[in-house]
Amino acid sequence: MAQFEKVSQKSKVHPKPEGLTLQYGTAGFRTHATHLDHIMFRMGLLATLRSKKTKSTIGVMVTASHNPEEDNGVKLIDPMGEMVTVVWEGYATQLANAEQDSLLKELKDIIKKEDIDMSEPASVYIGKDTRPSSAILSQAVLDGVSSLGGKTHDYGLVTTPQLHYMVCCCNTNGCYGSPTIEGYYQKLSQAFLQLTQNALNRTDDQKRLLVDGANGIGALKMREMEPFLRSELQVVLSNDGSSGKLNHMCGADYVKVQQKAPQGMNMGVGERCCSFDGDADRIVYYYTDSKGCFHLLDGDKIATLISTYLKELLTQAELNLQIAVVQTAYANGSSTRYLEDVMKVTVCCTKTGVKHLHHAAQEFDIGVYFEANGHGTVLFSKAAQKQIQELMKDPNTNDERKRAVKLLESTINLINQTVGDAISDMLVIEAVLAIRGMSAQDWDAIYTDLPNRQLKVTVSDRRVIDTTDAERRAVSPEGLQDTIDTLVKKYKSARSFVRPSGTEDVVRVYAEADTQESADSLAHEVSLAVYRLAGGIGDEPKPLH
Ligand code: NG1
Ligand code: ZN
């Protein structure tokens, strides 16, 4: 077939280095950019098959998010803006690792297994981040799609969530919005301006927000969006990519893990600040107090702020909708306790990785999901959206109810429901703080985080660690969980768990306790247990103090 001849020819331009094997992990393929050309070409092929199979547009995003600038990666986006299914993740790995001479065989195998009608048309949307390697790598994706006769739309430089938005707009025939960058800015800014009309007498100081763009795509897109916000948000942008290196000493991951401010940001006392990550799908907030102490407002604090606000609106609107917060084991124990005991909202815990949180959140009328690292969004079920729209139209709704329903409707429009989105989340947070007249300090005071520590241990094979109960307990190697249980009992308000990372070749250790010293000491003791019982390599972990 001529179709496959072109694939065969073009694949020679994007050859696979012999013996290289990569895994489609929690965040797609991710590694040093020099190893990815063949992967990109093949993901172009796979996206074309997925498009034929689903009779929808599929997205391919070239990015390595918060990883160093030298890395790159690729992620496929399903028709409604979601991550691809586990079975297709498997196909991605199968195709990526096929040696050059068996590529066609593997491709045909997937076509057969999925019973794909190759005469169907295919459409693939492509986006990329600002990494130097992204331009050439996204060209390889385009080559992959065109060699199977698929149609492409190259959006060029966009944030990951912007591409998810485009894919969803296209497959809902514009119901979600217009699939253009301008359509994205218009939809979000209109909703933001509507919401902030409800916040009276805001001063310029209150409208001011310091944004760390991680020297990445988020900074570029924030600049583009600014005029749409008509000074209702006054962004002071640092790490805008004009001089610094992507994610280097800046960005959401750096701030969260180091628990300190990024370089290059001039923070006044109490000023609201936030950091995006390299592809702008994560955000964390922070400020420094009058004593110079740094305060982090992470994904858990964001989930608490948003869910509290939504719950209040539901009460005012007299809407009986179930709201839940979805977290992972990394959520601070104080946040879980506050949500369950004080807010009385349902809290679920899932495995790490956005797809797990996203699926769990879909089970509720309103599902708020956030990873502690700042990746998250809110999902409104179709039925919930319908109830809200009907109440809007009901002439018997009194003014207070109407106001609450209108706020709910604008909030739905402001939230990017397809995936965590730093820009959209930032606007939601800014609107909620404005409407409730809250400062960063007020927000921070909702509950106090338990001191915590995250560490990494290198072992010869991290797969020896198997977990259960949403990764909170280790079932292997033998004796590890018993040791952790014994160690935890030595400390007050303590909790600890270990799991193999899905994006790095390490075992992650998490510990929290009543004081920072205890959290650090527990994390160290658990690291030692992992090192000794799970085949640690290199030097034994050293105490932190
Ligand atoms: P791993 O490496 O599996 O811990 C990390 C983050 C996840 C998620 C993925 C994808 C932590 C502890 N883990 O996963 O939350 O964001 O990267 O980027 O933050
Ligand atoms: Zn990211």
Side-chain angles (χ1 to χ4, degrees):
M1 263 192 274
Q3 203 165 32
F4 294 118
E5 249 165 53
K6 200 155 175 217
V7 174
S8 181
Q9 277 170 17
K10 278 277 180 183
S11 74
K12 290 184 193 129
V13 185
H14 304 283
K16 174 184 176 296
E18 221 170 295
L20 177 71
T21 55
L22 292 167
Q23 202 77 20
Y24 194 97
T26 10
F29 292 103
R30 230 182 249 190
T31 185
H32 199 277
T34 49
H35 295 147
L36 283 166
D37 188 64
H38 68 294
I39 299 276
M40 297 293 167
F41 174 76
R42 292 164 184 214
M43 287 310 103
L45 298 177
L46 191 69
T48 312
L49 296 189
R50 182 78 183 144
S51 173
K52 287 176 188 285
K53 168 81 189 180
T54 58
K55 301 186 176 51
S56 307
T57 290
I58 296 297
V60 181
M61 182 70 195
V62 176
T63 180
S65 185
H66 57 276
N67 284 36
E69 189 168 277
E70 297 71 28
D71 285 2
N72 217 321
V74 60
K75 233 182 331 193
L76 299 193
I77 303 168
D78 244 8
M80 286 303 125
E82 294 160 283
M83 309 287 170
V84 285
T85 61
V86 178
V87 174
W88 281 74
E89 284 182 2
Y91 295 150
T93 304
Q94 179 183 345
L95 215 51
N97 296 326
E99 291 305 335
Q100 204 59 25
D101 52 7
S102 54
L103 177 62
L104 282 191
K105 185 180 139 284
E106 300 298 346
L107 195 67
K108 287 175 187 166
D109 179 60
I110 299 168
I111 295 170
K112 193 162 166 236
K113 271 192 197 139
E114 287 291 323
D115 194 18
I116 295 169
D117 176 357
M118 292 303 284
S119 66
E120 282 286 339
S123 154
V124 179
Y125 282 3
I126 296 164
K128 60 170 182 273
D129 72 11
T130 56
R131 288 177 158 78
S133 59
S134 290
I136 197 154
L137 291 177
S138 76
Q139 187 54 49
V141 179
L142 290 163
D143 273 6
V145 180
S146 65
S147 70
L148 267 181
K151 254 182 40 196
T152 52
H153 184 132
D154 184 4
Y155 280 93
L157 293 168
V158 281
T159 69
T160 295
Q162 283 175 336
L163 191 67
H164 282 253
Y165 162 89
M166 304 299 175
V167 169
C168 183
C169 288
C170 173
N171 291 319
T172 54
N173 298 318
C175 283
Y176 194 67
S178 146
T180 61
I181 200 75
E182 182 122 344
Y184 172 92
Y185 295 140
Q186 253 150 12
K187 181 178 176 184
L188 267 61
S189 59
Q190 263 169 30
F192 179 72
L193 295 174
Q194 268 161 16
L195 283 172
T196 46
Q197 271 170 16
N198 290 272
L200 302 173
N201 310 322
R202 279 169 81 220
T203 61
D204 276 353
D205 269 356
Q206 285 162 333
K207 294 179 186 173
R208 194 176 135 95
L209 175 68
L210 274 62
V211 178
D212 155 26
N215 289 319
I217 184 69
L220 290 184
K221 296 297 152 181
M222 213 41 250
R223 279 257 151 80
E224 272 178 21
M225 191 176 191
E226 254 187 295
F228 292 81
L229 298 169
R230 301 209 202 114
S231 306
E232 280 305 311
L233 184 68
Q234 296 170 16
V235 170
V236 182
L237 199 56
S238 56
N239 301 317
D240 64 354
S242 52
S243 55
K245 210 172 163 187
L246 179 74
N247 296 327
H248 181 64
M249 315 279 279
C250 62
D253 197 60
Y254 173 84
V255 173
K256 167 75 182 160
V257 176
Q258 304 295 325
Q259 309 207 9
K260 63 178 180 211
Q263 255 187 11
M265 191 178 250
N266 228 335
M267 299 163 69
V269 171
E271 261 191 312
R272 283 192 319 285
C273 308
C274 66
S275 286
F276 297 174
D277 74 338
D279 61 340
D281 63 355
R282 283 194 201 177
I283 186 168
V284 292
Y285 267 68
Y286 42 92
Y287 68 96
T288 43
D289 65 21
S290 54
K291 292 187 193 121
C293 265
F294 175 81
H295 294 257
L296 179 69
L297 296 149
D298 63 2
D300 305 334
K301 285 255 153 109
I302 296 173
T304 307
L305 180 77
I306 297 177
S307 57
T308 308
Y309 157 78
L310 290 173
K311 192 161 183 237
E312 214 170 83
L313 290 182
L314 291 179
T315 310
Q316 287 164 8
E318 296 169 38
L319 274 166
N320 186 19
L321 295 173
Q322 197 195 4
I323 180 164
V325 176
V326 184
Q327 305 185 313
T328 70
Y330 291 101
N332 196 278
S334 291
S335 72
T336 315
R337 210 161 307 126
Y338 177 82
L339 287 164
E340 283 179 335
D341 299 351
V342 184
M343 286 307 302
K344 311 275 184 221
V345 300
T346 308
V347 180
C348 327
C349 183
T350 69
K351 286 202 226 170
T352 304
V354 204
K355 67 176 176 216
H356 301 295
L357 287 105
H358 193 95
H359 286 146
Q362 281 173 327
E363 299 297 309
F364 301 92
D365 296 326
I366 302 177
V368 180
Y369 75 81
F370 271 89
E371 292 191 302
N373 61 31
H375 189 136
T377 186
V378 186
L379 304 184
F380 295 84
S381 72
K382 279 213 173 76
Q385 297 197 42
K386 195 160 163 242
Q387 271 197 49
I388 291 167
Q389 275 154 14
E390 274 168 9
L391 198 55
M392 273 290 283
K393 289 187 220 132
D394 186 346
N396 300 319
T397 317
N398 67 32
D399 285 355
E400 198 207 338
R401 277 183 88 188
K402 198 145 236 164
R403 177 183 178 270
V405 181
K406 268 193 180 155
L407 285 173
L408 277 170
E409 202 194 30
S410 301
T411 308
I412 293 174
N413 287 331
L414 185 51
I415 284 170
N416 186 343
Q417 293 194 54
T418 63
V419 78
D421 181 336
I423 293 180
S424 153
D425 289 339
M426 174 192 79
L427 294 174
V428 172
I429 293 163
E430 289 300 306
V432 174
L433 293 176
I435 293 166
R436 304 183 107 211
M438 284 168 83
S439 65
Q441 293 88 326
D442 299 331
W443 173 18
D444 193 25
I446 297 180
Y447 65 82
T448 307
D449 271 327
L450 276 170
N452 57 85
R453 179 65 61 196
Q454 248 194 73
L455 295 175
K456 299 176 192 180
V457 184
T458 312
V459 298
S460 58
D461 181 3
R462 68 193 198 279
R463 288 171 303 183
V464 298
I465 298 196
D466 200 4
T467 62
T468 182
D469 187 22
E471 303 175 322
R472 289 172 289 195
R473 295 190 67 78
V475 287
S476 74
E478 220 189 308
L480 180 59
Q481 189 57 49
D482 290 342
T483 311
I484 297 174
D485 290 341
T486 311
L487 292 170
V488 166
K489 280 196 196 115
K490 286 171 47 185
Y491 300 90
K492 240 175 104 182
S493 308
R495 187 168 72 91
S496 181
F497 67 92
V498 301
R499 55 174 279 279
S501 157
T503 62
E504 277 180 78
D505 193 8
V506 295
V507 175
R508 292 198 198 284
V509 171
Y510 177 87
E512 64 185 31
D514 62 335
T515 64
Q516 191 61 55
E517 266 175 14
S518 296
D520 289 351
S521 161
L522 175 58
H524 169 65
E525 289 191 284
V526 173
S527 298
L528 267 184
V530 170
Y531 183 89
R532 287 172 189 159
L533 296 169
I537 51 173
D539 292 341
E540 217 176 55
K542 303 242 169 2
L544 282 110
H545 302 287

